[in-house]
Amino acid sequence: MIILKIGGSIITEKNSKEPKVDYNNLNRICKEIKESFSSKNINADLMDGLVIVHGAGSFGHPPASEYKIGQPFPNEEFPEKRIGFSKTQLAVKQLNTYVCNALIEHGLPAVSMQASSFVTTSDKRIYDFDLDFIKNYLKNGFIPVLYGDPVLDEKYRMAILSGDQILQYVARFLVSDRVVLGTDVDGVYDKNPKKHSDAKLIEEVNSIEDIIQMEATTNIDVTGGMVGKVKELLSLADIGVDSEIINANHPGVIAAALQNKKVKGTKITKNSFN
């Protein structure tokens, strides 16, 4: 089984003041996924199933930031926080509808899965996650499509559950073969490639020490940026699940990665010398 994460900066115009889908990228990626399944030499990992997780982009981040979802608050603010929770949940659900619709239009049996309906966190980490939903749909040949979502939290009452944490949990407990992250950069750099022309791509990351001095390579957001993604993936590497971070803005890269072909990017894997 492969888990494909599509960053919110890829399928939306993330810095847009209003929620806006990047249909050029979304439709191209759907086409590449379809082509991967239609290939005569379909990759064995893909034959075992595909789970898609996507980011929130310009849909989820604005309301989550405005209402400071996940931050401590006094009881008198709870009514306002509930409204913020509801607005954020509705926004990310709308984006998921656009994503699933595009996948279905390309002949892919996508099924939407809203994390807030079956996941609870404690101190912003997953505490309870009913995986049976995903297992049953995979068993019947569907493509589960999950996304970052506001959820109830035992410590903070509510929190933002990132797509990266969902990805890590599903990959760990469903024993994924591989994880592919499609972002808006070629992988992990020693410093922000959008600000520094001399930034160097790190082709392989084996431990947290490899990135401890690294600047975040994408815009800071409520889910932790690139460093947060790598930390989640390193925990998977510890149990033998390799990941790769690639640039989903480049045509053909998603299709190649799903077919396990060599593409430019960063591999997250356990150091064979440890």
Side-chain angles (χ1 to χ4, degrees):
M1 180 187 73
I2 297 177
I3 301 179
L4 171 64
K5 166 73 187 301
I6 306 171
S9 60
I10 299 297
I11 57 174
T12 76
E13 296 187 15
K14 194 169 183 179
N15 295 319
S16 172
K17 292 183 179 180
E18 298 294 330
K20 192 173 184 180
V21 178
D22 186 331
Y23 283 107
N24 288 333
N25 272 348
L26 178 58
N27 286 316
R28 173 180 55 78
I29 290 171
C30 290
K31 182 179 179 181
E32 291 186 28
I33 295 171
K34 178 64 175 178
E35 289 175 352
S36 298
F37 275 105
S38 302
S39 172
K40 293 181 180 179
N41 299 312
I42 184 172
N43 183 262
D45 295 342
L46 193 59
M47 288 184 68
D48 290 337
L50 175 68
V51 174
I52 295 175
V53 182
H54 66 79
S58 60
F59 282 73
H61 292 289
S65 297
E66 178 185 353
Y67 288 91
K68 298 180 173 62
I69 305 300
Q71 296 185 22
F73 59 89
N75 284 335
E76 58 266 26
E77 292 184 7
F78 197 29
E80 182 183 8
K81 290 288 185 177
R82 285 197 295 261
I83 293 297
F85 183 102
S86 297
K87 285 184 176 180
T88 306
Q89 186 193 64
L90 178 61
V92 293
K93 184 163 60 175
Q94 288 173 334
L95 175 59
N96 180 254
T97 298
Y98 292 129
V99 172
C100 288
N101 184 61
L103 288 164
I104 292 168
E105 286 185 345
H106 283 80
L108 295 162
V111 287
S112 172
M113 294 196 169
Q114 185 177 32
S116 54
S117 65
F118 57 87
V119 179
T120 304
T121 60
S122 179
D123 198 12
K124 303 181 182 181
R125 300 298 300 178
I126 293 174
Y127 173 73
D128 186 36
F129 192 131
D130 188 348
L131 287 168
D132 286 341
F133 287 100
I134 300 174
K135 289 179 180 178
N136 289 335
Y137 278 105
L138 283 171
K139 182 180 178 180
N140 285 281
F142 289 93
I143 300 175
V145 184
L146 297 90
Y147 53 99
D149 203 19
V151 297
L152 296 179
D153 184 273
E154 292 196 341
K155 180 177 180 179
Y156 295 99
R157 304 183 80 168
M158 59 183 69
I160 297 297
L161 175 63
S162 71
D164 297 312
Q165 193 180 155
I166 292 172
L167 177 156
Q168 187 262 111
Y169 193 94
V170 174
R172 177 181 295 273
F173 291 102
L174 291 188
V175 195
S176 173
D177 295 296
R178 287 191 295 123
V179 171
V180 177
L181 262 76
T183 69
D184 61 353
V185 289
D186 289 335
V188 179
Y189 285 80
D190 59 348
K191 48 189 171 182
N192 193 334
K194 296 179 180 179
K195 296 181 179 179
H196 303 278
S197 59
D198 62 341
K200 295 180 180 179
L201 179 68
I202 302 173
E203 295 188 353
E204 186 170 309
V205 173
N206 306 124
S207 69
I208 194 64
E209 285 74 23
D210 293 338
I211 62 165
I212 203 163
Q213 300 297 326
M214 185 186 77
E215 297 180 24
T217 62
T218 57
N219 294 332
I220 299 299
D221 60 38
V222 294
T223 60
M226 182 64 81
V227 174
K229 299 180 194 304
V230 174
K231 287 180 178 178
E232 298 287 356
L233 298 179
L234 282 169
S235 70
L236 292 178
D238 287 338
I239 61 170
V241 179
D242 289 345
S243 308
E244 55 187 312
I245 301 175
I246 59 176
N247 194 334
N249 275 321
H250 297 327
V253 169
I254 291 290
L258 290 178
Q259 287 299 311
N260 203 21
K261 296 177 181 178
K262 176 68 175 177
V263 297
K264 183 177 182 180
T266 299
K267 186 174 184 179
I268 314 295
T269 185
K270 187 174 182 179
N271 194 326
S272 60
F273 296 102
N274 286 343

